Amino acid sequence: MDQLQMIAADSGLDLDSQQFAQAMDARDPLAHLRSEFVMPTVSQVTGEAGNDKACVYMCGNSLGLQPKRARRMVCEELDEWANG
């Protein structure tokens, strides 16, 4: 937390501000990997029709977000198993 406080102070932004969160997102070296995962939408999670905004995913006791290529890889394994 001390490092985040230093970054916030250096940037002149409040640690709990949306601007600080956006600044941290912009400098995230792993941000390009976001597109590799299935991101649940509000509609999928709540059943609220037509709301395709991405949800904040904070489930700490799961396998995490599903990689988009997982389905293809599982299907390939099942096909290989079926065809011997």
Side-chain angles (χ1 to χ4, degrees):
M1 185 66 140
D2 291 338
Q3 185 177 7
L4 286 178
Q5 289 171 332
M6 288 183 349
I7 294 169
D10 290 345
S11 65
L13 298 170
D14 291 329
L15 185 62
D16 61 352
S17 70
Q18 182 174 352
Q19 292 82 7
F20 180 70
Q22 290 168 334
M24 293 301 294
D25 282 349
R27 64 189 277 180
D28 181 358
L30 301 176
H32 66 283
L33 295 174
R34 181 181 177 95
S35 64
E36 305 250 343
F37 296 89
V38 177
M39 301 294 290
T41 64
V42 172
S43 292
Q44 291 169 324
V45 173
T46 67
E48 180 185 324
N51 193 340
D52 293 331
K53 280 182 64 175
C55 288
V56 174
Y57 188 83
M58 298 180 71
C59 188
N61 63 344
S62 76
L63 295 173
L65 292 171
Q66 182 187 84
K68 287 182 179 176
R69 56 187 146 159
R71 181 178 305 276
R72 178 184 51 79
M73 293 172 78
V74 168
C75 287
E76 286 174 6
E77 289 298 319
L78 290 172
D79 289 343
E80 186 177 320
W81 180 25
N83 298 322

